[in-house]
Amino acid sequence: MVDAVAATLLAAGDHGGHGGHQSADLPPWTLERLLAWSPDAFFLVLCGALLAVYLAAVLRLRRRGDRWPVGRTISWTVGQLLVVFTMNTGMNDYGMVMFSVHMVQHMVLSMIAPIFLVLGAPTTLALRALRPAPRGRRGPREVLLAVLHSRYAAVLTAAPVTIAFFILNLYGLYLTPVFDWMMASYWGHVLMMAHFVAVGYVFFWPIIGIDPGPRRSGYLMRMLELFMGMPFHAFFGIAVMMGSTLIVDSFASPPASLGIDPLADQTAGGGIAWAFSEVPSVIVLLALLVQWRRAEDRQARRKDRAADRDGDAELAAYNAYLASLAARDQAVSR
């Protein structure tokens, strides 16, 4: 299986695909070798294009005098760079033959990079940058709005669905033959890695997303959704750590040059999956608290402006209500 993967990667590299080491020639891993540049054409071009389009949209807003928060641009850039780093360094080479390194890739692509991509609010940027179509016609902006408010988007972003996808992303992949089937080809591997990012994005979007969507729960419910999904990653990691047999065949015969025991490497990968579950939880929780505070501040400012316009009619009505209650009590006591 490993030889087949190596041959596939080499062929893909000859056609503009992954250009890293052949797995049979990989020396024992070191931090320097994991961080060494080893480009994968697909993810390099895709992430570069997504970043370029995003920056072009920001530039269009600025040229017409509109503002776009710098923090969102930084978040989108960090998210794209995390994907580039994970898929265009030695991490991708070693991740083809070492379960532990692959699990680092999985965790970064599904639980770290999507958080920053979601906070980049790309859909909101697109809606502001795209020009409305002439009356009676449907352009890209109108299509995007229709998709956002469609029944399909409502189902896709419902908590039971996003949590189920998030869980199946682990158990349905590694505990079935699907993983070995996808690892057997370059494009299967690419599809799997892209799938990690997509599932993570869909999971975090209803929780901390800034972009408009068909539904948005209250902040306490969003915290509950977060903590309903994350423990399953920890459970998976613990199960892998305690396992006495290999769960996938793709890492059963690592190159002898690595000098590793596949079961011990799998145990290390389980520990990585278990430990990583805490990192996104902290990041998302902090983002939620910041968003909650800002929402409360905006609501307070709206109430202040309304009070200035109507002479605080709401407070006057409430005081009148209290006065009527007091008058009624006095009448009863007499």
Side-chain angles (χ1 to χ4, degrees), residues 6-317:
T8 304
L9 281 180
L10 182 59
D14 292 338
H15 293 85
H18 186 265
H21 304 288
Q22 297 181 53
S23 62
D25 298 332
L26 284 175
W29 75 271
T30 62
L31 183 60
E32 181 180 359
R33 288 167 180 161
L34 283 178
L35 301 181
W37 182 247
S38 182
D40 178 282
F42 177 84
F43 283 99
L44 193 60
V45 172
L46 176 63
C47 293
L50 291 174
L51 183 57
V53 170
Y54 188 98
L55 295 177
V58 173
L59 184 60
R60 171 179 285 188
L61 292 184
R62 290 188 175 181
R63 284 178 174 172
R64 71 186 190 200
D66 293 338
R67 296 179 58 188
W68 181 253
V70 176
R72 296 181 186 179
T73 303
I74 294 175
S75 293
W76 182 259
T77 303
V78 170
Q80 296 297 340
L81 291 179
L82 283 171
V83 177
V84 169
F85 167 76
T86 305
M87 297 304 303
N88 290 272
T89 60
M91 186 180 298
N92 198 32
D93 298 322
Y94 284 92
M96 293 297 297
V97 291
M98 293 179 64
F99 183 81
S100 58
V101 179
H102 166 81
M103 193 52 62
V104 173
Q105 288 183 285
H106 184 154
M107 296 297 108
V108 172
L109 292 177
S110 67
M111 299 177 70
I112 303 297
I115 295 175
F116 291 97
L117 295 175
V118 166
L119 292 176
T123 305
T124 300
L125 176 62
L127 291 174
R128 291 183 58 183
L130 291 171
R131 296 184 177 89
R135 180 173 297 182
R137 297 186 180 181
R138 199 177 222 194
R141 189 177 187 277
E142 288 69 27
V143 171
L144 181 57
L145 280 172
V147 170
L148 286 174
H149 298 289
S150 67
R151 181 177 302 176
Y152 302 103
V155 172
L156 185 63
T157 57
V161 176
T162 60
I163 294 173
F165 280 157
F166 199 62
I167 296 171
L168 288 173
N169 192 33
L170 277 173
Y171 297 88
L173 181 65
Y174 295 101
L175 302 183
T176 68
V178 173
F179 181 83
D180 290 321
W181 176 75
M182 300 188 81
M183 286 288 285
S185 69
Y186 169 77
W187 288 110
H189 181 250
V190 165
L191 179 62
M192 177 170 57
M193 295 302 184
H195 166 79
F196 291 158
V197 180
V199 169
Y201 192 98
V202 171
F203 176 74
F204 290 115
W205 177 26
I207 298 176
I208 57 171
I210 302 169
D211 288 329
R215 63 180 68 211
R216 188 75 77 205
S217 303
Y219 287 97
L220 287 177
M221 183 58 67
R222 295 189 213 177
M223 291 182 185
L224 180 60
E225 293 174 14
L226 170 66
F227 291 115
M228 286 177 63
M230 286 301 175
F232 288 94
H233 270 260
F235 297 154
F236 174 82
I238 293 172
V240 172
M241 291 172 64
M242 297 176 62
S244 58
T245 58
L246 297 176
I247 61 173
V248 292
D249 295 332
S250 298
F251 303 108
S253 302
S257 59
L258 292 176
I260 61 172
D261 174 58
L263 186 57
D265 183 62
Q266 178 178 284
T267 302
I272 291 169
W274 170 72
F276 246 89
S277 61
E278 302 296 331
V279 178
S281 298
V282 173
I283 297 175
V284 173
L285 188 58
L286 289 175
L288 268 176
L289 292 175
V290 171
Q291 291 178 358
W292 196 349
R293 175 62 183 273
R294 289 178 177 174
E296 293 289 337
D297 291 342
R298 287 194 297 269
Q299 185 176 4
R301 288 195 296 269
R302 283 196 297 267
K303 289 184 176 180
D304 289 342
R305 289 194 295 267
D308 292 338
R309 288 193 301 268
D310 58 21
D312 212 348
E314 183 179 353
L315 179 59

